[in-house]
């Protein structure tokens, strides 16, 4: 049977030990520690009782409840602070998104892009510091093999959209962006092209993204930097449909995707689409026809049949008219300044070369005035299936995929890209895709911005405190009150991630 024994030490302190008596001999099982005060002695006794309970189940037939555990701040030290709750929360989010089959290092690196976007090396250091999880160089091997999981990850995204987010996938959004590199050396993939980041001197890649109507990512692909964005839509849709056996829904894309080749191919595949139109590229007679039909009446919508691109839906907005008019007047004023200096300038819309000088392009000004406030949309969906207003509403959902791109570039800092090899670049983009899945899921589910989600979760910390007398470690966590009152509260309760 175990006993607690105290004895004096040479320094005058009181040592507390757990002992057992066998055949008249005293066996010291555990030296708990030495006390100099009554409080320290009480703490050591509590620790000794806990030790005996763990080894023998209980201290006696009628155990006496120990006093409430207390310790003096003078005999404690803060070992470290962690964010174990945050890790538990984001790993739960990954499970809901269907990503639980991925290696934990992928999930940790993905959600660390939400917390503090950085290099892979820096992220691994932060994971060690904040979660006491050390991956060493194994993480790089996992990342190299991550590309093999691309179809699995996108299939998980599709399932999550259908089940967890209850998305009706009759309509998907498509858009492209560019990501630049911190180098001036180009290759077959990283190559100069039209930069949406205003980094024309640096090589780039083109990234295409498919999302649901609410902006939840479903699939992506990477193209060489000089690829015309209109040539990316069909390959990525075809690959997505083939890999996931998805009957292609209505595709919504902006005007850059509108080309004779694309429209003919979409019709050949019996695919329905809503694409932004460019009325400025139509004939003056058609522009006059549209302008007359709309009559500059706010909210007016008319539809015209077009054998080439399906139907053309035109709408007029007074708000858009004022915005377009201000922009036109600004450009005309700039044109006048350039003409006074006899300079054509760069991207001077209303300046034309005449002989050896420059002049105001009055024809283009008159054409621009005629289309002020007019927005057009091309679709091959009959009016009886989708009304004009619904077509326009579906097109306006494109801001969701644009928001996903902004989140990737700014919140997740997918750019600039520092990787060099093609596999590393694609793995980096796939890791960002996983981060985007978790980030957009939380935004859509809670209505909070990703920054707000990050602040709520990261404000929860754990303090690891050591009792220098007993060498016990205690964990104290900041209160969850504010978080539980937020829109994240139901998720925390449902996912049971408030333990660590």
């Amino acid at each position: 049977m175990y006993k607690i024994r105290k004895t004096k030490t040479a320094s005058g302190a009181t040592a507390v030990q757990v002992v057992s008596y066998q055949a008249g001999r005293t066996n010291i099982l555990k030296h708990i520690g030495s006390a100099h005060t009554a409080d320290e002695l009480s703490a050591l006794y509590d620790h000794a009782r806990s030790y005996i309970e763990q080894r023998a189940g209980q201290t006696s037939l009628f155990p006496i409840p120990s006093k409430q555990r207390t310790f003096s701040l003078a005999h404690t030290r803060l070992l470290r602070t962690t964010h174990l709750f945050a890790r538990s929360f984001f790993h739960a989010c990954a499970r809901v998104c269907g990503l639980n089959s991925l290696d934990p290092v992928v999930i940790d690196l993905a959600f660390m892009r939400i917390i503090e976007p950085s290099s892979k090396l820096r992220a691994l250091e932060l994971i060690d510091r904040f979660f006491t999880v050390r991956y060493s160089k194994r993480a790089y091997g996992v990342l190299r093999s991550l590309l093999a999981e691309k179809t699995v990850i996108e299939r998980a995204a599709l399932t999550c959209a259908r089940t967890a987010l209850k998305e009706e996938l009759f309509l998907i959004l498509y858009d492209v962006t560019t990501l630049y590199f911190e180098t001036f050396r180009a290759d077959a993939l990283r190559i100069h092209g039209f930069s949406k980041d205003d980094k024309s001197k640096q090589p780039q890649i083109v990234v295409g993204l498919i999302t649901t109507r609410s902006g939840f990512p479903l699939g992506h692909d990477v193209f060489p930097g000089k690829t015309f964005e209109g040539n990316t839509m069909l390959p990525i849709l075809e690959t997505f449909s083939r890999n996931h056996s998805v009957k292609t829904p209505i595709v919504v894309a902006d005007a850059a995707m509108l080309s004779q080749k694309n429209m003919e191919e979409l019709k050949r595949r019996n695919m329905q689409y809503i694409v932004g139109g460019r009325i400025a590229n139509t004939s003056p007679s058609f522009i006059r026809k549209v302008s007359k039909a709309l009559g500059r009446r706010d909210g007016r919508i008319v539809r015209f049949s077009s054998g080439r691109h399906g139907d053309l839906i035109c709408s007029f907005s007074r708000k858009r008219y004022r915005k377009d008019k201000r922009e036109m007047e600004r450009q005309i004023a700039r044109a006048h300044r350039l003409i006074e200096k006899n300079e054509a300038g760069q991207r001077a819309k209303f300046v034309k070369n005449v002989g050896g000088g420059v002049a105001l392009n009055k024809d283009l000004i008159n054409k621009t005035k005629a289309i002020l406030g007019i927005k057009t949309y091309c679709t091959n969906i009959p009016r009886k299936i989708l009304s004009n207003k619904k077509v326009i509403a579906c097109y306006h959902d494109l801001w969701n995929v644009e928001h996903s791109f902004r989140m990737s570039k700014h919140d997740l800092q997918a750019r600039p890209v520092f990787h060099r090899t093609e596999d590393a670049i694609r793995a980096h983009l796939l890791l960002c895709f996983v981060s985007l899945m978790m980030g957009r899921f939380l935004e859509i589910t809670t209505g909070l911005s990703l920054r707000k989600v990050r602040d709520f979760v990261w404000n929860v910390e754990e303090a690891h405190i050591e009792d220098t007398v007993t060498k016990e470690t205690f964990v104290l966590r900041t209160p969850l009150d504010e978080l539980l009152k937020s829109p994240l509260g139901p998720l925390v309760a449902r996912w049971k991630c408030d333990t660590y």
Side-chain angles (χ1 to χ4, degrees):
M1 185 174 180
Y2 303 123
K3 297 285 186 180
I4 300 174
R5 184 180 79 163
K6 65 179 182 178
T7 182
K8 285 291 183 178
T9 66
S11 64
T14 302
V16 175
Q17 302 168 338
V18 175
V19 300
S20 66
Y21 299 101
Q22 293 180 341
R25 295 182 59 184
T26 301
N27 299 316
I28 300 176
L29 302 177
K30 175 74 173 177
H31 178 77
I32 302 299
S34 299
H36 294 83
T37 66
D39 287 340
E40 291 179 2
L41 185 61
S42 176
L44 291 175
Y45 261 83
D46 282 345
H47 187 48
R49 278 191 287 267
S50 297
Y51 176 82
I52 294 173
E53 287 172 2
Q54 291 173 4
R55 299 211 25 164
Q58 63 181 34
T59 54
S60 67
L61 184 61
F62 303 102
I64 302 172
S66 60
K67 297 180 180 178
Q68 186 176 359
R69 180 70 171 92
T70 61
F71 52 80
S72 172
L73 289 178
H75 300 292
T76 60
R77 64 169 180 160
L78 178 63
L79 297 178
R80 62 185 177 274
T81 59
T82 58
H83 291 272
L84 302 178
F85 171 82
R87 185 170 189 257
S88 173
F89 178 84
F90 280 105
H91 273 260
C93 179
R95 287 194 297 273
V96 174
C97 290
L99 301 170
N100 47 299
S101 65
L102 298 179
D103 193 292
V105 67
V106 175
I107 305 302
D108 283 337
L109 287 172
F111 87 75
M112 278 309 299
R113 296 206 73 81
I114 296 175
I115 301 301
E116 183 180 323
S118 61
S119 68
K120 308 300 183 296
L121 180 61
R122 167 70 175 168
L124 291 173
E125 291 173 353
L126 294 177
I127 290 168
D128 185 11
R129 180 194 305 175
F130 294 139
F131 316 125
T132 64
V133 177
R134 185 166 295 177
Y135 288 113
S136 187
K137 294 182 179 180
R138 184 180 73 85
Y140 294 98
V142 173
L143 287 176
R144 281 194 292 271
S145 62
L146 182 60
L147 285 180
E149 304 291 331
K150 183 174 185 290
T151 301
V152 173
I153 292 170
E154 292 183 347
R155 190 175 294 126
L158 194 68
T159 302
C160 178
R162 284 172 169 163
T163 57
L165 296 177
K166 309 298 181 185
E167 294 265 15
E168 296 180 5
L169 300 179
F170 74 94
L171 180 145
I172 62 172
L173 312 178
Y174 179 76
D175 203 0
V176 302
T177 193
T178 58
L179 299 177
Y180 66 91
F181 291 77
E182 284 293 350
T183 181
F184 293 98
R185 185 175 300 174
D187 54 35
L189 181 66
R190 304 176 300 167
I191 194 167
H192 296 90
F194 177 74
S195 175
K196 294 177 180 287
D197 300 317
D198 196 24
K199 296 284 185 178
S200 58
K201 294 183 179 181
Q202 292 170 274
Q204 64 178 24
I205 55 175
V206 175
V207 181
L209 180 67
I210 300 174
T211 76
T212 66
R213 192 171 182 180
S214 65
F216 184 76
L218 296 175
H220 77 290
D221 210 342
V222 179
F223 303 89
K226 66 178 181 180
T227 307
F228 169 57
E229 58 187 82
N231 294 337
T232 65
M233 183 172 69
L234 292 177
I236 193 171
L237 289 176
E238 184 179 42
T239 302
F240 179 77
S241 179
R242 181 179 64 251
N243 289 346
H244 308 295
S245 302
V246 176
K247 183 180 179 182
T248 307
I250 299 170
V251 180
V252 183
D254 68 14
M257 307 302 157
L258 183 64
S259 69
Q260 180 66 24
K261 179 183 176 182
N262 280 355
M263 297 304 105
E264 289 176 355
E265 187 62 23
L266 287 170
K267 285 189 289 186
R268 187 184 70 79
R269 300 184 187 190
N270 295 318
M271 294 169 65
Q272 294 181 313
Y273 58 85
I274 299 171
V275 186
R278 288 174 171 167
I279 191 171
N281 293 344
T282 61
S283 65
S285 60
F286 183 74
I287 289 175
R288 288 193 294 270
K289 181 180 179 181
V290 171
S291 181
K292 183 178 178 181
L294 292 173
R296 290 191 176 174
R297 284 183 284 174
D298 192 34
R300 172 82 168 160
I301 303 173
V302 294
R303 181 187 285 237
F304 298 92
S305 296
S306 170
R308 187 179 182 186
H309 297 313
D311 290 350
L312 190 68
I313 299 173
C314 308
S315 69
F316 179 84
S317 164
R318 178 63 58 179
K319 181 178 179 181
R320 189 186 304 120
Y321 174 85
R322 290 192 294 267
K323 178 179 178 295
D324 292 347
K325 187 170 182 291
R326 284 195 302 270
E327 179 61 20
M328 182 192 69
E329 290 171 346
R330 186 185 68 81
Q331 291 176 332
I332 291 175
R334 181 170 182 262
H336 280 297
R337 290 194 300 271
L338 292 172
I339 291 170
E340 288 176 3
K341 299 177 183 178
N342 197 30
E343 296 178 1
Q346 292 183 343
R347 299 183 183 177
K349 183 175 182 179
F350 297 119
V351 177
K352 65 178 180 178
N353 294 316
V354 180
V358 293
L360 200 64
N361 192 334
K362 293 183 179 180
D363 291 338
L364 184 56
I365 290 175
N366 291 332
K367 184 179 181 179
T368 303
K369 286 181 179 179
I371 62 176
L372 292 176
I374 298 176
K375 177 68 177 175
T376 57
Y377 314 85
C378 292
T379 183
N380 62 349
I381 306 172
R383 191 196 311 235
K384 62 182 180 181
I385 295 178
L386 212 61
S387 68
N388 293 343
K389 286 187 176 181
K390 287 185 177 180
V391 168
I392 295 174
C394 289
Y395 182 84
H396 287 174
D397 285 332
L398 270 178
W399 77 269
N400 282 312
V401 68
E402 293 168 357
H403 173 69
S404 291
F405 272 135
R406 285 196 299 273
M407 180 191 292
S408 297
K409 288 185 173 183
H410 301 287
D411 293 280
L412 306 180
Q413 291 186 19
R415 63 172 187 186
V417 186
F418 295 92
H419 299 285
R420 181 177 55 84
T421 65
E422 181 171 339
D423 282 353
I425 292 167
R426 291 182 181 275
H428 169 73
L429 267 294
L430 187 53
L431 188 66
C432 291
F433 183 85
V434 173
S435 299
L436 184 61
M437 281 179 62
M438 291 192 285
R440 288 298 287 144
F441 176 86
L442 292 170
E443 284 193 336
I444 294 168
T445 305
T446 65
L448 297 172
S449 68
L450 187 61
R451 177 179 294 181
K452 200 68 177 175
V453 170
R454 180 175 56 207
D455 289 345
F456 271 124
V457 175
W458 203 246
N459 283 342
V460 180
E461 297 181 76
E462 301 86 28
H464 298 253
I465 302 172
E466 182 188 61
D467 186 331
T468 57
V469 176
T470 66
K471 303 304 179 183
E472 288 181 276
T473 300
F474 302 89
V475 181
L476 301 179
R477 187 177 60 193
T478 52
L480 297 177
D481 298 354
E482 183 181 5
L483 186 144
L484 293 175
K485 292 176 183 177
S486 76
L488 292 172
L491 296 183
V492 173
R494 190 183 316 145
W495 296 345
K496 299 180 180 179
C497 52
D498 58 340
T499 58
Y500 48 88

